[in-house]
Amino acid sequence: MSLTVDALIRGPMTEFEEKLRQQHEASMHQELEALLATANKAEAEVSRKDFNGFKNLFHRFLQVKGPSVDWAKIKRPPEESHLNKTFTADVPLVLMNSFNTDEDTKKILQKYTHHRVKIHTFNQSRYPRINKESLLPIAKSMGVSGDNTEAWYPPGHGDIYASFCNSGLLDKLLAEGREYIFVSNIDNLGATVDLFILHHLMSQPADKRYEFVMEVTDKTRADVKGGTLIQYEDHLRLLEIAQVPKAHVDEFKSVTKFKIFNTNNLWISLPAIKRLQEKNSMDLEIIVNPKTLDGGLNVIQLETAVGAAIKSFKNAMGVNVPRSRFLPVKTSSDLLLVMSNLYSLDAGSLTMSKKREFPTTPHVKLGSSFTKVQDFLTRFENIPDMLELDHLTVSGDVTFGKNVSLKGTVIIIANHGDRIDIPAGAMLENKIVSGNLRILDH
């Protein structure tokens, strides 16, 4: 199912469609109750809260409405342009986990027991994957192992509002007198607490404070699919590529009409989250994510995005921030960049080296031999000097010796069956290396 706008603007349901919708909804509720019956009392209590959110999402999914955006009404938004120790503050770190990552996270956090920061964790909801044909859960019980391993999923970062509230942490932070949370993707190493933004938020009169601030940054060719901020019927909204009619996709990707994209660094008012959750008025578009499981079964996941809530808050604002606040590490290519001498770590913030003449980040593309972190680390004796690098492509069985220097555009291709060992101390500037180059100890 595609969430394009043109497919989603529909008239009222026919009587047959309405009866079919009711039947699907009743069957889903029956299946969810049967799943809850397989859990113990404590697990069932937590899962019932999750399922309440899922039922609401499934109900809206069956309405087949989605985001009704009229393209002609879209406008560009108006332009607006080591913490605790330094300030003797007590700012806690809150991590939202899923049932897939919770155990591993808790083990790592044991290392930080004596650090000067309180770390809270909570789990996002666990939703059942839906059989694409029957529109019923594929789970046979509430278990997450064995045959049930693929039956559950965490429903996207838009679930933060309900899970944060259900965990009790929202009420705890409000009771401590806290007013804002700063939310970011954990893989964005450029996302730190910016005191200038915080000061701007707190300097407004209490009755005119911003409830939701989204950090955006200038779009490059690498970001053309990223969600953008738009002005729509006097409200700021997040427009994702899945909402764009096919006829306007090229226009959406253009850097002339839509010059900015969402970094997912968000400043959100805690009292406003509480108000919207209590009124059940958090309006998030549904993202229908189709998946094919290992056995070939086609399923769908109903998800939401945290930034889509911007239209539900009063006094929302977008702030254009430097690119340095968006530094995601999702691949080994990203990891190579942040481990190199291009960046240094200062009080928890990554900053680009002043020795680099241009503030742009090199384009790095490592092949499948570098995908896993362990493989990546064994292929570098140490990380090359990349201060003057513009572009690096590496494909095939390639290793790097110590103190290698890469400059300009460097392309290294080892064909199937070949291996290339870049020797220690090598300096490659605007070079293409291919074929077979072995360096053997003797």
Side-chain angles (χ1 to χ4, degrees):
M1 182 174 177
S2 170
L3 273 185
T4 53
V5 179
D6 46 357
L8 286 168
I9 301 174
R10 294 182 40 170
M13 284 187 175
T14 64
E15 186 179 350
F16 170 76
E17 287 173 324
E18 176 58 24
K19 284 185 177 176
L20 188 63
R21 184 197 67 73
Q22 290 174 358
Q23 185 181 335
H24 279 310
E25 200 156 3
S27 299
M28 174 60 79
H29 286 200
Q30 194 174 345
E31 288 289 318
L32 294 177
E33 287 301 319
L35 286 171
L36 288 172
T38 69
N40 61 47
K41 188 177 178 182
E43 187 185 17
E45 193 176 324
V46 173
S47 296
R48 189 172 290 282
K49 287 182 180 178
D50 289 352
F51 283 2
N52 286 341
F54 176 77
K55 286 177 185 177
N56 181 39
L57 207 57
F58 188 69
H59 173 80
R60 289 170 52 213
F61 163 69
L62 292 177
Q63 302 293 324
V64 203
K65 285 182 181 173
S68 53
V69 177
D70 181 348
W71 192 258
K73 293 181 180 178
I74 288 177
K75 298 175 185 175
R76 282 169 50 186
E79 298 279 339
E80 275 200 67
S81 291
H82 55 265
L83 199 60
N84 287 347
K85 189 175 180 182
T86 306
F87 297 98
T88 321
D90 182 22
V91 178
L93 173 66
V94 180
L95 301 175
M96 180 171 79
N97 276 316
S98 75
F99 60 93
N100 292 320
T101 58
D102 189 45
E103 288 298 318
D104 289 338
T105 302
K106 283 176 178 172
K107 287 175 187 174
I108 291 169
L109 290 182
Q110 287 175 0
K111 297 180 187 176
Y112 298 93
T113 312
H114 303 296
H115 282 61
R116 189 172 174 165
V117 61
K118 289 178 184 171
I119 303 177
H120 303 290
T121 64
F122 68 96
N123 271 7
Q124 65 183 119
S125 303
R126 175 161 65 108
Y127 282 4
R129 283 184 169 139
I130 304 167
N131 184 308
K132 191 176 180 182
E133 301 304 320
S134 68
L135 293 184
L136 291 173
I138 64 169
K140 302 301 179 192
S141 72
M142 291 300 297
V144 291
S145 57
D147 294 340
N148 248 14
T149 305
E150 293 188 310
W152 305 95
Y153 71 98
H157 44 55
D159 182 57
I160 186 173
Y161 304 107
S163 295
F164 190 39
C165 191
N166 289 340
S167 71
L169 261 177
L170 174 60
D171 287 336
K172 174 180 169 62
L173 294 177
L174 283 169
E176 291 173 359
R178 304 186 189 273
E179 193 163 338
Y180 284 101
I181 53 167
F182 172 60
V183 179
S184 68
N185 292 356
I186 200 164
D187 60 26
N188 181 7
L189 302 190
T192 56
V193 175
D194 186 298
L195 297 181
F196 293 104
I197 296 175
L198 183 60
H199 175 73
H200 181 68
L201 296 179
M202 298 305 295
S203 64
Q204 309 302 314
D207 58 337
K208 293 183 180 178
R209 284 198 179 151
Y210 297 105
E211 290 190 347
F212 193 108
V213 173
M214 176 182 289
E215 293 186 28
V216 296
T217 195
D218 293 345
K219 191 190 285 188
T220 68
R221 280 182 299 172
D223 316 306
V224 291
K225 292 184 178 179
T228 192
L229 204 53
I230 60 169
Q231 187 84 3
Y232 190 84
E233 295 182 336
D234 297 326
H235 281 83
L236 283 180
R237 285 181 66 162
L238 180 65
L239 180 67
E240 300 280 8
I241 194 166
Q243 297 167 250
V244 178
K246 287 180 182 177
H248 294 283
V249 166
D250 287 341
E251 191 180 346
F252 174 83
K253 290 181 177 180
S254 160
V255 294
T256 52
K257 180 164 185 176
F258 300 109
K259 297 181 179 181
I260 55 174
F261 75 99
N262 170 29
T263 65
N264 233 27
N265 297 346
L266 309 169
W267 302 77
I268 312 173
S269 159
L270 289 171
I273 294 175
K274 178 74 173 174
R275 183 189 75 238
L276 290 168
Q277 281 299 123
E278 285 181 341
K279 293 181 178 178
N280 196 27
S281 54
M282 196 78 76
D283 185 12
L284 303 175
E285 282 87 3
I286 298 172
I287 300 165
V288 181
N289 190 356
K291 298 267 185 184
T292 301
L293 303 184
D294 289 343
L297 181 66
N298 291 322
V299 298
I300 55 175
Q301 299 180 177
L302 304 182
E303 303 176 4
T304 55
V306 61
I310 189 169
K311 66 177 184 286
S312 300
F313 288 84
K314 298 173 185 174
N315 295 344
M317 177 178 71
V319 175
N320 199 323
V321 297
R323 183 76 184 200
S324 57
R325 289 190 59 73
F326 183 69
L327 196 61
V329 178
K330 296 181 183 292
T331 65
S332 55
S333 301
D334 299 329
L335 185 60
L336 178 62
L337 284 169
V338 299
M339 287 180 69
S340 75
N341 57 348
L342 282 166
Y343 292 96
S344 59
L345 190 63
D346 180 24
S349 296
L350 276 177
T351 54
M352 186 172 278
S353 171
K354 291 177 182 175
K355 293 179 182 177
R356 182 164 174 85
E357 291 183 18
F358 305 103
T360 54
T361 306
H363 183 73
V364 174
K365 190 175 181 182
L366 300 179
S368 56
S369 300
F370 293 79
T371 301
K372 293 185 177 177
V373 173
Q374 195 55 48
D375 295 339
F376 164 88
L377 293 172
T378 57
R379 290 183 176 276
F380 292 96
E381 285 200 45
N382 65 5
I383 303 299
D385 174 354
M386 294 167 55
L387 280 175
E388 296 178 46
L389 180 69
D390 297 320
H391 180 109
L392 173 66
T393 294
V394 183
S395 178
D397 188 0
V398 179
T399 64
F400 292 79
K402 284 185 178 179
N403 305 324
V404 171
S405 180
L406 305 172
K407 300 181 180 184
T409 296
V410 178
I411 299 171
I412 307 169
I413 309 289
N415 293 320
H416 182 69
D418 291 341
R419 174 171 160 174
I420 295 175
D421 296 330
I422 304 298
M427 195 278 282
L428 301 179
E429 182 171 6
N430 296 325
K431 291 283 189 286
I432 297 175
V433 182
S434 63
N436 201 23
L437 174 63
R438 298 294 306 274
I439 297 176
L440 302 172
D441 291 330
H442 65 89

